[in-house]
Amino acid sequence: MSAARVLITRRVPPPAVELLQQAGLTIDLVDQDDPPPRAELLRRVPGAAGLITMLSERIDAAVLDAAGPSLKVVANFAVGFDNIDLEACRQRGVRVTNTPGVLTDATADLAWALILSTARRVVEGDRLVRSRRWSGWAPMQLLGLQLTGATLGVVGAGRIGTAVALRSQGFGMRVLYADSQVNRELENKLAAQRVELHQLLAAADVVSLHVPLTPQSRHMIGAAELRLMKPTAILINTARGPVVDEAALVEALRERRIAGAGLDVYEHEPRLTPGLIDLPNVVLLPHLGSAATATRQKMSQMVAQNVIAVLRGEEPPNPVV
Ligand code: DGY
């Protein structure tokens, strides 16, 4: 195993590099913060035994074939793995791993940062003060959505959706959720009600998305779904951009068919759909869900442990394939 090489497609926080080196692996680090151009990925991957990838790298048959038979594991530095062609990996006997659990709280916290800032128009307020055009307190100024007693609709009640819902207790919110499975924890602790998506959209004041990106969830929220929402409601997306039809969202926000949106992810990330950036009623973050120091360090440890396990011929702790 001493000669095995692990390609890491971006700088990552410690301790991944140290752990991999201690395990006797050779590191090939793309020493930058931006995604490597695809041509560079294809040039560097041949002969690698392990590949540590980010959600922005498309790992498909072409990358796997360029890597060749030496490649044993693709360890995604993320819980989501929609950037990886799982079937192509399966066919070539390449294991795939992810980083579940350790980013649940950080992502739920960030969803709440977006819920609060969108509901109470925090970013618009900040812009107003900085513009030097603020003339003082006014009874009608930047009125927003009161969260206390409002209804939270969680779409996808897995780990992160559940953590977001549990945090709503502090605001005394009623919780609805849409999921193919019953979530006993939410029902027992919060008296949350499981409803169909269309019922949730019609009733919720805050709609928060927490589904993985799959062919079924792509554009799950489009023009028709946005039309079901209340004009006073807000949409929060910390899941994956393509779950929302972003052009339809721009229209709905422009026409004030919904009150606002808080987005951490984008349909064509990092590009934004034209018009989105010009809207005052949307809060835009640069995919910060898991961006807490302690969380990123845990993710770093996990990707290394997954790679080391596979290259030792053991079962990885976080297998996807
Ligand atoms: C994930 O893990 O899937 C996030 O989107 C990035 O941390």
Side-chain angles (χ1 to χ4, degrees), residues 17 37 49 73 102 107 112 123 131 134 153 195 204 208 216 236 248 259 305:
V17 171
V73 56
V102 293
T107 308
W112 270 94
V123 177
S131 74
W134 180 46
V195 293
S208 194
Q216 294 73 37
I236 306 298
Q305 287 168 340

Side-chain angles (χ1 to χ4, degrees), residues 55 77-81 99 103 238-240 265 287 289-290 296 299:
L55 52 95
F77 192 94
V79 66
F81 42 79
T99 62
L103 45 72
T238 53
R240 282 292 183 268
V265 290
H287 204 145
S290 65
R296 288 281 166 87
M299 292 166 72

Side-chain angles (χ1 to χ4, degrees), residues 105-116 160 164 208 210 236 238 289:
D105 286 326
T107 308
D109 292 349
L110 191 94
W112 270 94
L114 279 174
I115 292 172
L116 283 160
I160 298 173
V164 168
S208 194
H210 302 287
I236 306 298
T238 53

Side-chain angles (χ1 to χ4, degrees), residues 7 9 37-45 57-59 63:
L7 175 61
T9 62
R38 183 143 166 108
E40 185 176 356
L41 181 62
L42 291 170
R43 184 176 60 74
R44 284 170 79 151
V45 77
E57 277 94 56
R58 189 161 43 85
I59 305 302
V63 173

Side-chain angles (χ1 to χ4, degrees), residues 104 107-112 115 152-165 178-179 206-213 217 220-221 236-240 243:
T104 301
T107 308
D109 292 349
L110 191 94
W112 270 94
I115 292 172
L152 171 67
V154 171
V155 180
R159 275 182 295 257
I160 298 173
T162 299
V164 168
D179 198 293
V206 177
V207 175
S208 194
L209 304 177
H210 302 287
V211 289
L213 178 61
S217 68
M220 179 183 217
I221 305 295
I236 306 298
N237 191 4
T238 53
R240 282 292 183 268
V243 171

